[in-house]
Amino acid sequence: MAAKKKPDVKSNAALNTELLHAMLLQRRFEEKVAEAYALGKIGGFCHLYIGQEAVGTGVMSMLRPDDYVVTTYRDHGQALARGMTPRSVMAELFGRADGCSGGKGGSMHLFDRNLNFLGGHGIVGGHVPLATGVGFAIKYRGGDQCIVCFMGEAAVNNGAFHESLNMAGLWKLPVIYVIENNKYGMGTAESRASSIQHMYKRGDTYSIANAEVDGQDVFAVRDALADAIERARTNYESTLLEIRTYRFMGHSMSDAVSGTYRTKAELEEYMKRDPITLLKNKMNAAGELNDARLADMEKEIAAVVQDAWDFADASPEPPPGALYEDVLVETTSDSPVRV
Amino acid sequence: MAIVTYRDALNQALREEMHKDDRVFLMGEEVAVYNGAYKVSKGLLEEFGEMRVVDTPITELGFAGVGVGAAMVGLRPIIEFMTWNFALLAIDQIVNAAAKMLYMSGGQYNMPIVFRGPNGAALQLSAQHSQAWESWFAHIPGLKVVAPGTPYDAKGLLKSAIRDDNPVIFLEGEMLYNTKGEVPEEEYVVPIGKADLKREGGHCSIITSGKMVLTAMQAADLLAKEGIKVDVVDLRTIRPMDVEAITTSVKKTNRAVVLEEGWEICGIGAQVVDYIQRDCFDYLDAPVIRVHQADVPMPYAKALEKAAKPDVPKTIAAVKKVMYIEA
C-alpha cells in the first residue's frame, strides 16, 4: 500500500507555544478550582483533568470550528481547550448566572452551542450514542464535519458504547471515538473491569479503524487525530482511539488521590511523564522556550485564572425565576424546511 | 370525511410531515424494508429513501441516543420503538438525555424529537409485552406525553408532536391500529395539551385517555341504555394535562371515575384524583373511583388476563358505585 501523505502537523515554535499555553491554562485553572472547592465556592461532584491535558489539547487543536465535541463529566480542561472562556467555565462551577449553562449544569454539564461543544454528560457511556447521532446528522446533510466523542476507559464495557460503535461501523459515520484511558474507572483498575486490555482493538469488532496513542505526548495525539479526521471528512468513516493517559488527582474532589486502588509510588512514577513537562522539555531543547518566557506565560495565566475567579465570585446567583425556565421551549415555527 | 384506520392516520401524519420538512426522519426496528412491524410506516421507504427511513439493529438504547444526538444538531428525528416495552432499554436516553438537555445546558439545546410506538397490552402477550407506560414518562419534567385514542386524534397529535420543539412521548394503542374513524381530507392538527369531551352527559365524568377512550365510550353506550348519561373526558395529552377540562366536567357532574390502562400505584389516575380533590372538593357527591389494571404483572392465561385488565364491565360498575346505584 502506498504511503499516505499525512497533513502537516509538525511542531513549530508558534504552535508549540499555543499548545503549552492551552495546557498550562487548564492546569492552573483546575488548581484554582480545587482551591475554590475546598472553600465551598464550588459544590457537587467536581472531576479534575490534571494529568490528562495533552489529550483534550491535542484533539481540539486539530478540529475546525464547525466540528462537534461531546464529552463526559471530566470536562473543564476540554471546554477550555475548545475555546470556552475561563470566566464562563468558572462562573458555571460557582453556580452563577453568567456560567456557560446559566448555573444550571455545574461542573459535569458544561455546554457552549456557539463552539459546538455539546456538553459534559454525567452517565458513563450515555453520551456515546449522542455522538453517533451527530455523525448521522452530518452524513444526512452531506457535510464534511466530524464529531469527537471523549469517554473514559470504563465506558467501553457499557452497552451504549457497543451499540454506538456497531451503528457507526455499519452506517459509516464521521465519528472519532476517543477513549481517554487513565487506567481507573473511579477506583477500579482497567485490568479488573475489562476482559481485553488493549481496548482500541474493540474497534476491529465493528470494522472501525483503531489505534493506541500516547496521551502524554500532545504531538502523538495530534498525529492520531489527523488520520482520524481525514477518514471522517473524506469517507464518513469512524475511528476508535485509545489514548493512554493518567489522572494525577482522585476520581473527583471528594476522592482520595491514592490509597487502596493505586499506590503513591505508581502515581509518582506516572507523574514523571507529566504532559506539560514533556512539552516544556521538548521546547527547551529546541530553543523555543526559556525560563523568562515561561515565567511570563505563568504570570499571564495566573492573572487570567484570578480574573475568572473574581468574575465568577461577582456574578449573580441565577434569579429565582430561572428555576422554571428552560424545561420546555415554545414551539415557534411550523414553516416548511428544506435541508 | 374519509373513514380511516388509526394505523393509516398515523401513516398520513408521518408522510405529510416528512414532505413538509426535510429535517424529519424516521428511525427504528423494521420501519423501512419491512414497512413497520405494525405497518405504520408502510410505503415510506419507497417515498423518502433510506437516509430518511432508517432500519436499525435491535439496539434501543443506541438508536434512541442517535436520535437525541441528531436532534441536538438540528434534525427532527422520529424514533419508533416496536413497542414501548422495549423502550426501557432506552430510558436513560429519554430521561437523562432528551428530557434534561435543555435545562442542564441553560437553554442552549432544545430537543425536537418524537419517541413513538405501541403502548399497553394487546392479547395474551403476557408480562413483558403488556405494559402501559404513561405514568413512567409523565413523571419527568422536560417531556410531553401524548396518548391518542382515535384516528382523528392520532393523526392530528402526531403532526403536532413532529412540529413540537420539545421531546414528545407518543403512546399509540396496540389494539387501536385497526380501529376506524373519521379523518378530514384537509390539513389539520390537534394541539398538544388539550383534552376533548368525547361524550356529554350530566350524571358522572369518566376521565381517561389512549386505548381506554374506546372502553369508556362503549361503557357510556351501555350506561345510556339504563338512563345513565356520562361525560367522557379524553385527556389526549397526559403531560401537560388539561386540568381545566377535568374540573369543568367534574364540577358539572359531581361524580368521577378515572379509567386508565396501567397499574394503580402512582398511576395517572392518582394525579387526576389529586387535581379533582384540589379544585372540586366541595363539588363531589361521592369519592372518586379509579379503574385500572390489577396490581400484578400481566398473566398469559386468557381468563386471568381478562381479570387483570380494566374493561367495560369494570367501568360500568365503577360509574354505578359513584352514583350509589346497586349493581
Side-chain angles (χ1 to χ4, degrees), chain B residues 250-268:
Chain B
V250 175
K251 284 177 182 175
K252 180 183 74 179
T253 64
N254 312 113
R255 297 164 201 274
V257 167
V258 186
L259 167 62
E260 69 188 298
E261 193 178 358
W263 291 297
E264 175 184 21
I265 310 297
C266 306
I268 296 302

Side-chain angles (χ1 to χ4, degrees), chain B residues 277-293:
Chain B
Q277 67 84 19
R278 277 195 245 174
D279 290 351
C280 310
F281 189 79
D282 291 330
Y283 291 84
L284 288 175
D285 286 343
V288 180
I289 291 184
R290 293 175 58 195
V291 181
H292 45 77
Q293 189 191 324

Side-chain angles (χ1 to χ4, degrees), chain A residues 113 126 140 163 323 334 338, chain B residues 19-20 22 59 62 103 108:
Chain A
R113 187 159 197 151
Y140 186 96
E163 295 188 23
L323 178 63
D334 62 355
R338 298 284 164 251
Chain B
H19 271 299
K20 187 167 176 288
D22 286 349
T59 182
Y103 200 82
Q108 293 181 76

Side-chain angles (χ1 to χ4, degrees), chain B residues 7 27 52-53 97 101 127 135 173 188 195 210 215 225 239 273 291 293 307-308 314 323:
Chain B
R7 166 187 294 111
M27 175 177 277
R52 297 186 67 196
V53 185
M101 201 70 74
S135 63
Y188 74 99
T215 304
K225 288 178 184 165
R239 181 188 184 99
V273 170
V291 181
Q293 189 191 324
K314 288 171 190 166
M323 294 184 67

